[in-house]
Amino acid sequence: MRLLINKIVLGLSTLSALIGLAFLGWILVTLFIKGLGSFHFTLFLNDLINGGLRNLIIGQFILAGIAAAIGIPLGMVAGIYIQEYGRGKYAEVIRNLSDIMMSAPSIVIGAFVYAIIVVPTGGTSGFAGAIALAIMMLPIVINTTDNMLSLVPRELREAGIALGASKYKVIIDIVIKAAKVGIMTGILLAFARIIGETAPLLFTSETSNYFSLDLTESFPSLTVSIYDLANEPEQSSRDLAWAASFILTVLVLTINLAGRFFTRNKKS
Amino acid sequence: MEKIFRNLSLSSASLVFIILIGIFITLFLASKDAINEFGIGFITNPNWNKEISIEIDAKSSNETIKNSKVNEIEDFNLESDLFSDEDDIMIDDEDDIIIDEDDMLFNEDIKTTFTDYGALVPIVGTILTTLIALIFALPIAMGIAVFLSEIAPKNIAYPIGIAIELLAAIPSIIFGMWGLYYFAPIIADLVGGYQVSLLTAGLVLGVMILPFMAAITRDSMNTTPDVLKESAYAMGATKFEVIKDIIFPYSKVGIIGSIILALGRALGETMAVAFLIGSIFALPTAINSPTISIPVAMANNFGEASGLGESSLFYLALILFVISFTIISIAKLYFLKKAS
């Protein structure tokens, strides 16, 4: 009897792992079939107004790129503070808050940026979208940096200080170098996450049918356009949305896997 | 140099603090009109963007108007002024109150219409979709976590673990599209009712939080010391008994923490739900009827709303922010901290 229950439970548990994998497979297969079906090379050459995706893909990269350019240095330096300089309560409070902020609803961050940037400047802009993404990215980078620096052995720091190096020199030349791979991985994963975000962009950058490099106007965004296209009644729009989703997913999963591969190779 | 770097890092760290406080204050200020207008009753009011006419007799209307802080008409004489004016008196301020004077001529009453906003429908929608997601995802996530940490040999657990984490990395908008065009029709065939409904939105949300929940639950389970497990096996316990009597009690706090954390995430999820919930401001009458959730209400109405409507959306955002902040804090600061 005990053995029977044991078998049943283990079977159920294996079954749920299979269910999880089945969902992943189902989504990926759907994306491949629908996405590849409407995929065409000219999608990369035309803008949305001509039935292509070029402006959207470039726009999404620019938005996420600016967000990364803001979020990564700020997040890393903040993470260094928490781990290296912070003594006592304040650093602990910041660590907890950044932990909580990581799970804050992205649409609320969109609303926040809408109130502080879009309303005062009188309209949606690429700049506002990039800020919203940067706010999303900041706590993830802080968290990664904090965790990875905590893995660096104390002796390394002591050795540096014993040689007479100042603290910031030790941090930049020794601690960061030792934790480089882990931090890079975390940053890649963070980038993969924000490049697929839609909710914070909906009313900050919005999207645009045309190619644009002007950050003070509504800015082309792949994810927001997918949402718009998928809700259009015409089949051609939906097909385009599937092709765009396919490209987005391949992009996100590639960056994600690259990050993991990176760590695994360096570790062994 | 040392000092500059130190201060730079201190101010970047403080940025987190400033942003969080900033979000709270900004949302509060932006929703002030709605808070003043509706107060705490906003939460239990089922209307949204609904023109409401209230008929009140002339005497009490004076008080009502006073109460709603319409300064311009505070001390005008209803009897004399209204009759002598033109057709309608429209007081166009943030309250959107229109006094329809024609009716007054007939029955001595004032008919006021104003646009009413309340959060009950989105709040109920948010809670119910999250609950459905949780009920669906919980057993499967537990199963996956047990499988990954206890059953599968290392060389199988590793790639499956990565696959599950990849599922977590797929952008939520993809879940929404897939859910709408492939998952929902199947569910609607099985259960009946609409393809866009509370049920389908909840289930797709469940698929979304599944990998997240499984991953942190697995991490909690992995903290169980091997010595404890081995001694139980040595006593002749089966794997199930070890899981039930050793691992679950040991990692209980961490598991509860991860469930609450997943709950906090599900509450604020926008895109996957936006495709599937139907976006109708009506209380669901059945599990397969369409409704709306707080994030979706914001996503769909933010650009177009203005005045009191926009302020009400900010009020919704504030409610969502406070709820999820509380839930995530409890999960992270109480359960997950205690577990580690």
Side-chain angles (χ1 to χ4, degrees):
Chain A
M1 188 61 200
R2 285 172 60 222
L3 292 177
L4 187 69
I5 293 178
N6 184 45
K7 274 216 172 110
I8 292 173
V9 171
L10 297 192
L12 283 177
S13 162
T14 314
L15 182 71
S16 37
L18 289 178
I19 292 176
L21 288 180
F23 276 122
L24 177 68
W26 188 4
I27 294 173
L28 289 184
V29 167
T30 308
L31 271 176
F32 261 89
I33 294 173
K34 290 295 289 183
L36 277 181
S38 33
F39 184 82
H40 200 273
F41 229 53
T42 53
L43 288 181
F44 291 116
L45 302 174
N46 292 320
D47 293 339
L48 184 59
I49 194 73
N50 298 320
L53 299 169
R54 183 184 68 141
N55 64 328
L56 301 177
I57 297 170
I58 295 175
Q60 191 82 8
F61 263 107
I62 292 176
L63 288 175
I66 296 173
I70 301 170
I72 292 172
L74 283 178
M76 273 182 70
V77 179
I80 289 173
Y81 176 80
I82 296 176
Q83 187 57 235
E84 302 292 326
Y85 286 110
R87 296 275 173 275
K89 276 229 158 94
Y90 190 63
E92 194 55 35
V93 168
I94 298 287
R95 177 179 287 144
N96 288 333
L97 283 181
S98 125
D99 230 24
I100 293 167
M101 201 170 139
M102 220 159 59
S103 301
S106 51
I107 189 106
V108 171
I109 291 172
F112 169 62
V113 173
Y114 180 86
I116 60 161
I117 298 180
V118 177
V119 173
T121 57
T124 52
S125 61
F127 186 62
I131 295 282
L133 291 183
I135 293 178
M136 297 231 41
M137 195 169 185
L138 184 68
I140 315 180
V141 179
I142 293 181
N143 193 280
T144 314
T145 313
D146 183 23
N147 285 339
M148 290 305 143
L149 292 186
S150 72
L151 296 178
V152 177
R154 220 183 128 82
E155 288 75 19
L156 276 181
R157 298 186 179 98
E158 284 165 357
I161 290 172
L163 284 172
S166 56
K167 188 156 188 183
Y168 90 94
K169 230 53 227 145
V170 172
I171 292 171
I172 290 175
D173 286 343
I174 301 175
V175 183
I176 295 283
K177 278 217 171 109
K180 201 172 63 187
V181 179
I183 295 177
M184 286 281 278
T185 306
I187 286 173
L188 274 177
L189 295 184
F191 190 76
R193 181 162 160 212
I194 62 156
I195 206 169
E197 276 291 347
T198 316
L201 296 177
L202 277 175
F203 30 80
T204 52
S205 74
E206 262 187 313
T207 187
S208 160
N209 291 344
Y210 303 93
F211 182 83
S212 165
L213 292 174
D214 182 5
L215 284 166
T216 59
E217 296 285 321
S218 293
F219 208 71
S221 152
L222 187 63
T223 47
V224 178
S225 280
I226 291 176
Y227 184 54
D228 291 345
L229 288 169
N231 282 316
E232 304 254 334
E234 299 102 41
Q235 190 58 43
S236 60
S237 297
R238 287 194 209 163
D239 286 342
L240 199 57
W242 279 112
S245 306
F246 172 70
I247 295 170
L248 179 70
T249 310
V250 169
L251 208 76
V252 169
L253 293 189
T254 311
I255 300 174
N256 198 295
L257 279 175
R260 288 165 198 280
F261 189 69
F262 205 49
T263 2
R264 213 185 169 201
N265 260 12
K266 283 282 163 109
K267 261 185 195 156
S268 52
Chain B
M1 195 61 200
E2 171 71 35
K3 230 181 176 162
I4 297 173
F5 188 71
R6 198 196 145 89
N7 287 333
L8 192 73
S9 72
L10 173 65
S11 39
S12 312
S14 307
L15 199 61
V16 174
F17 199 61
I18 295 167
I19 290 175
L20 270 177
I21 301 280
I23 292 177
F24 193 79
I25 293 176
T26 310
L27 292 182
F28 185 74
L29 290 179
S31 56
K32 218 163 172 217
D33 286 345
I35 293 176
N36 284 338
E37 179 71 33
F38 304 116
I40 198 79
F42 186 67
I43 295 172
T44 51
N45 182 352
N47 296 320
W48 185 270
N49 203 358
K50 195 176 179 188
E51 296 271 319
I52 289 205
S53 341
I54 303 171
E55 291 190 31
I56 343 151
D57 64 67
K59 227 179 179 180
S60 67
S61 78
N62 204 355
E63 287 160 20
T64 319
I65 290 168
K66 259 185 186 168
N67 285 341
S68 54
K69 291 177 190 151
V70 184
N71 303 324
E72 296 98 305
I73 46 169
E74 223 171 65
D75 46 12
F76 80 18
N77 189 330
L78 281 166
E79 305 288 328
S80 56
D81 282 10
L82 277 177
F83 287 100
S84 59
D85 263 7
E86 307 100 41
D87 291 9
D88 282 353
I89 295 174
M90 230 179 94
I91 298 121
D92 192 11
D93 68 351
E94 65 222 313
D95 290 306
D96 293 350
I97 292 189
I98 300 158
I99 297 182
D100 200 334
E101 192 230 2
D102 287 344
D103 288 272
M104 246 191 94
L105 288 169
F106 296 109
N107 53 15
E108 289 266 319
D109 280 358
I110 284 187
K111 197 175 179 186
T112 61
T113 66
F114 72 103
T115 327
D116 195 18
Y117 292 95
L120 184 66
V121 178
I123 288 179
V124 168
T126 308
I127 293 174
L128 289 181
T129 41
T130 308
L131 264 183
I132 294 171
L134 212 58
I135 293 168
F136 172 71
L138 189 58
I140 302 178
M142 290 301 131
I144 294 176
V146 168
F147 178 82
L148 290 179
S149 76
E150 300 306 318
I151 300 177
K154 275 240 157 62
N155 54 348
I156 295 181
Y158 185 73
I160 293 185
I162 290 218
I164 298 285
E165 277 169 35
L166 284 186
L167 185 61
I170 293 178
S172 54
I173 190 160
I174 310 287
F175 279 95
M177 267 184 85
W178 162 81
L180 178 61
Y181 292 112
Y182 289 88
F183 190 64
I186 295 175
I187 299 298
D189 275 352
L190 286 174
V191 188
Y194 296 96
Q195 286 186 11
V196 285
S197 70
L198 206 56
L199 179 68
T200 51
L203 290 179
V204 170
L205 193 58
V207 177
M208 249 197 91
I209 59 170
L210 183 64
F212 181 70
M213 214 151 118
I216 11 182
T217 307
R218 174 199 59 188
D219 293 344
S220 298
M221 287 182 176
N222 279 343
T223 59
T224 317
D226 285 338
V227 190
L228 285 182
K229 289 191 255 174
E230 280 155 13
S231 38
Y233 282 125
M235 305 276 285
T238 62
K239 219 163 210 175
F240 168 62
E241 285 161 348
V242 171
I243 293 165
K244 180 180 66 131
D245 295 331
I246 307 289
I247 296 175
F248 269 124
Y250 187 87
S251 50
K252 192 174 62 191
V253 186
I255 294 174
I256 295 174
S258 67
I259 294 167
I260 300 179
L261 196 58
L263 187 108
R265 284 241 166 144
L267 281 177
E269 176 50 43
T270 313
M271 300 321 293
V273 182
F275 275 97
L276 286 146
I277 200 163
S279 307
I280 292 171
F281 274 100
L283 284 173
T285 48
I287 196 165
N288 51 13
S289 61
T291 176
I292 200 162
S293 74
I294 298 180
V296 178
M298 291 171 64
N300 288 344
N301 298 304
F302 228 97
E304 291 101 57
S306 61
L308 196 58
E310 188 179 276
S311 183
S312 301
L313 285 171
F314 275 115
Y315 198 176
L316 277 182
L318 183 66
I319 293 172
L320 178 67
F321 186 60
V322 170
I323 295 175
S324 64
F325 191 90
T326 314
I327 288 180
I328 296 164
S329 312
I330 293 172
K332 291 235 174 179
L333 302 185
Y334 182 70
F335 288 103
L336 291 180
K337 197 130 277 181
K338 212 169 151 192
S340 60

